[in-house]
Amino acid sequence: MDVMGDKATLFETGRFVQPSSREDTETPDETGEIADEAAEELRQRLAAEAGDVEAMSVLGAMLLRRGDLDGAEPHLRAATAAGDRAAANNLGVLLHQRGYADEAAGWWRIAAVAGSTAAAHALGRHHRERGDEPAAEYWLRQSAEQGHTLGAYALADLLEHRGDATAEQWMRVAAERGHREAAYRLARALDRRTAREADGDHGVPGADEAEQWYRQAAARGHRRAALHLGTILERRGELKEAGRWYLTSAKDGEARAACALGFLLRDAGDTENAAVWWLRAAQDGDGNAANALGALHAERGETQTAERWYRAAMDAGDVNGAYNLGLLCAEHGRTPQAEQWYRRAAYAGHREAANALAILLLRGGDETGAEPWFSKAAEAGSVDAAFNLGILHAGRGEEQAALRWYERAAAAGHTEAALQVGMARLRDGDEQEAERHLRCAAGGGSAEAAYRLATVLDARRPPEPAHELGEPVHRRSECEEWYERAASQGHRRAQVRVGMLAAARGDVVEAARWYREAAEAGSRNGAFNLGLLLAREGSEPEAAVWWKRAADAGHGRAALRLALVYARRGELAEGQRWADRAVSLGPASVAERAERLRDALRQELSA
């Protein structure tokens, strides 16, 4: 039983009680110190035998420190009988070492009443362990108020346990006096308060103070403080210093620090050393590190090893292990096993596993079984599940229910959900709300949203102003920027529109580039417009190639153009065939012209 906190302290010696066992051999560097101690012990022994009370007390403390309880006890009892308070405290320590807690408390009380702060601390801890908190608080307060660091920490611990607001004050006192655990706990308290007040924003003043205390505790060898300090520094982008503190903590046995160091190394491209630290952390029971090792081996195609580490993560209590096993099985087509692992993780509250399970069931045709899992995942905060519920309801024609889920996902930043909400608002005629959601989706990288936003802005764009001499003045508009963003992301209609804008301002090369890109991606309008551009530039044979591609894809005007090309060449039968095609493809205005051309070609052929 350790009533003194970290270690039982010998009164006013600055030393600690050591275990009774000692090494049989000493290194050469220790020889001089041992000789000095032996000489000092002999001097104190001679003085004690001559009746010197202080020597008795010091000799007893020396023997106690060495673990010689039998040799220390008579000297300490003799000094205590002579009124030495340090001896009374150390006699209490000795009796506590022997297991006589009540008798030890009696001597601590005598020393505490005589003014020993160490004894008051020990007595307070004794009463707390006996469940007598009022007595514990009395003696711990006596110790703390007289400047005893361990007393201040123990008092803070007692008050914190009770929920007393003054606990932080005493924790701060102990921390300021160099108590590393107090510094760590004070930092944690400040961190939690900062998170509550600022919703996790570590840029507020309280976070700075917390960092200072973490740093103090870490500098004194507190491995969890070093871990938290590394986390703060990593979040701030100071990766080199963060790595040093993670390394310090990891070397002291903190598995979470070893895991964090592994991720830091992986992000720096050093996967080999990352794996070394993940292995160390995983062997110490860190599930996150086991998952990281599983993912590493999965990337290398080492499926069995990956599965073994995912199972290790699961055994360590990390539900991500089951989810990752599900992903691994699904990737290799083992659907029944994937469903089993997804279910296990989902029942444990893993929201992404619930969403994955729902998708698996939906693909298997079990819409009834999928919906509750989508709902469970969405209610737990899965943005993807909320979006999937929107798709589910939209597929049933339940537009309002779908919109509610899309709005929920969009509010959490889901790009495709924001696009769906924007399109719904456009159908409802609410252009302002539509624009807001389309901007969110476009900003999130949706090419379709960028294109639709551009069309909204394009529709309200005023006519281009003319120069006073009648020359057009081109000013790059916002809608053009969105068209170009969508076009650069491969959106075919946007590419055609950018090409049209370029052609309108006379930039034939730019227009041709965008038309060609759209056409090669399968856009029939792109192919038709590229043909028009080439024909105007005198390249009708190449234009015909693109018109044929557009007509084959169902473009009526392209078919009519081909019919005219073949008619001019005198290939009347081929011209009639394409005119027939243009009539069937439409639209009405094209069909009417194509019909007249076809009839004329037929008369010419029959003449």
Side-chain angles (χ1 to χ4, degrees):
M1 180 174 63
D2 183 1
V3 299
M4 299 299 292
D6 292 337
K7 298 177 182 175
T9 309
L10 301 182
F11 178 72
E12 293 176 346
T13 64
R15 298 180 181 272
F16 298 103
V17 177
Q18 301 296 324
S20 56
S21 61
R22 292 177 58 87
E23 296 290 339
D24 293 330
T25 60
E26 293 88 17
T27 64
D29 292 338
E30 295 173 332
T31 305
E33 183 181 345
I34 292 170
D36 290 343
E37 286 183 1
E40 177 62 17
E41 181 182 332
L42 178 60
R43 189 177 70 80
Q44 295 294 343
R45 190 178 295 277
L46 293 172
E49 289 173 354
D52 188 321
V53 174
E54 183 180 352
M56 295 176 194
S57 178
V58 172
L59 178 60
M62 291 177 70
L63 295 170
L64 178 59
R65 184 176 69 247
R66 198 165 65 207
D68 184 359
L69 304 187
D70 291 336
E73 185 170 353
H75 295 291
L76 292 175
R77 286 191 180 277
T80 299
D84 189 293
R85 72 178 188 184
N89 175 58
N90 290 336
L91 180 57
V93 173
L94 184 147
L95 292 168
H96 170 258
Q97 293 279 322
R98 290 189 183 279
Y100 302 129
D102 292 334
E103 188 179 351
W107 290 111
W108 279 330
R109 182 181 297 275
I110 291 170
V113 169
S116 170
T117 57
H121 164 250
L123 187 57
R125 291 296 302 270
H126 170 80
H127 282 299
R128 186 175 181 189
E129 289 174 2
R130 293 295 186 275
D132 187 354
E133 291 196 0
E137 182 180 351
Y138 173 81
W139 288 110
L140 291 175
R141 194 174 291 278
Q142 291 290 320
S143 174
E145 288 177 349
Q146 293 178 59
H148 194 273
T149 301
L150 291 176
Y153 173 72
L155 177 60
D157 185 65
L158 176 63
L159 295 172
E160 186 177 83
H161 172 71
R162 290 182 183 174
D164 191 314
T166 62
E168 186 178 314
Q169 167 198 336
W170 286 108
M171 198 68 79
R172 188 180 295 276
V173 168
E176 288 171 348
R177 292 173 183 169
H179 195 288
R180 69 179 189 181
E181 184 67 23
Y184 170 71
R185 288 179 62 176
L186 178 59
R188 293 293 294 146
L190 291 168
D191 238 355
R192 287 190 292 269
R193 188 165 67 218
T194 300
R196 285 194 303 270
E197 292 175 354
D199 194 27
D201 180 6
H202 290 265
V204 296
D208 294 336
E209 187 182 2
E211 182 182 340
Q212 292 170 8
W213 290 115
Y214 279 135
R215 194 175 290 277
Q216 177 172 311
R220 291 177 177 272
H222 196 292
R223 67 187 192 186
R224 283 172 296 165
L227 166 66
H228 284 282
L229 180 57
T231 303
I232 290 170
L233 293 165
E234 181 181 3
R235 192 161 47 227
R236 205 160 61 212
E238 298 176 21
L239 303 184
K240 189 173 182 180
E241 188 180 358
R244 286 200 298 269
W245 285 112
Y246 283 149
L247 180 61
T248 298
S249 181
K251 284 182 175 178
D252 285 341
E254 181 59 53
R256 290 174 297 169
C259 180
L261 180 58
F263 281 111
L264 210 60
L265 289 166
R266 182 205 63 184
D267 293 343
D270 189 355
T271 54
E272 293 304 316
N273 279 313
V276 170
W277 287 104
W278 281 334
L279 178 61
R280 182 166 174 173
Q283 289 172 338
D284 286 339
D286 190 282
N288 195 24
N291 270 315
L293 281 172
L296 185 64
H297 287 288
E299 287 172 7
R300 294 172 177 172
E302 300 165 357
T303 305
Q304 291 184 339
T305 308
E307 187 170 335
R308 180 167 62 84
W309 282 114
Y310 287 147
R311 287 179 183 274
M314 195 169 55
D315 292 342
D318 192 326
V319 71
N320 285 316
Y323 174 59
N324 288 331
L325 277 169
L327 291 174
L328 192 66
C329 291
E331 185 182 341
H332 289 85
R334 295 153 56 192
T335 303
Q337 293 91 336
E339 181 180 340
Q340 169 197 341
W341 292 116
Y342 284 150
R343 281 189 186 277
R344 181 163 179 173
Y347 278 121
H350 196 293
R351 65 191 188 190
E352 298 310 325
N355 181 56
L357 174 59
I359 292 172
L360 201 67
L361 294 170
L362 193 61
R363 285 174 179 166
D366 186 3
E367 184 177 312
T368 304
E371 186 172 356
W373 285 111
F374 277 137
S375 296
K376 185 174 182 179
E379 294 299 340
S382 171
V383 180
D384 288 334
F387 177 67
N388 289 335
L389 273 172
I391 294 174
L392 201 65
H393 286 290
R396 297 172 185 164
E398 299 165 0
E399 297 299 333
Q400 289 305 310
L403 184 57
R404 284 197 300 273
W405 285 110
Y406 284 146
E407 286 177 332
R408 184 165 176 172
H414 196 287
T415 298
E416 290 303 312
L419 169 62
Q420 293 301 322
V421 176
M423 291 167 62
R425 295 303 179 209
L426 277 178
R427 288 192 296 269
D428 295 341
D430 188 350
E431 193 175 291
Q432 187 174 359
E433 273 298 292
E435 182 182 339
R436 184 172 71 85
H437 282 94
L438 289 174
R439 284 188 183 278
C440 289
S446 169
E448 182 66 25
Y451 173 73
R452 289 181 180 271
L453 175 61
T455 60
V456 169
L457 298 172
D458 204 1
R460 68 167 79 127
R461 184 170 58 160
E464 287 283 352
H467 190 268
E468 60 181 1
L469 297 179
E471 298 173 358
V473 176
H474 177 73
R475 293 186 179 88
R476 184 179 174 81
S477 64
E478 186 186 3
C479 76
E480 288 182 70
E481 293 175 3
W482 286 113
Y483 277 135
E484 288 181 8
R485 180 180 295 194
S488 65
Q489 292 176 262
H491 195 285
R492 293 182 301 180
R493 284 177 294 169
Q495 289 169 342
V496 172
R497 184 62 180 149
V498 172
M500 292 170 66
L501 291 169
R505 63 175 180 264
D507 191 343
V508 177
V509 174
E510 184 73 0
R513 181 174 75 85
W514 284 113
Y515 286 151
R516 190 179 299 276
E517 198 162 327
E520 289 175 348
S523 169
R524 62 189 186 184
N525 284 329
F528 175 72
N529 286 357
L530 180 58
L532 288 178
L533 203 66
L534 291 167
R536 290 193 194 110
E537 295 297 311
S539 302
E540 190 175 84
E542 188 182 353
V545 172
W546 289 106
W547 283 333
K548 185 177 185 303
R549 181 180 292 194
D552 287 340
H555 199 287
R557 291 179 65 196
L560 178 57
R561 288 278 177 173
L562 280 172
L564 290 167
V565 168
Y566 284 113
R568 284 197 298 271
R569 290 177 183 174
E571 299 177 28
L572 304 184
E574 189 69 9
Q576 184 180 345
R577 185 174 73 83
W578 282 110
D580 280 337
R581 184 74 190 277
V583 169
S584 64
L585 291 174
S589 59
V590 169
E592 184 181 346
R593 291 175 59 197
E595 192 172 0
R596 289 199 303 269
L597 176 62
R598 182 188 62 187
D599 292 343
L601 291 173
R602 185 177 296 150
Q603 289 175 8
E604 185 72 23
L605 283 168
S606 61

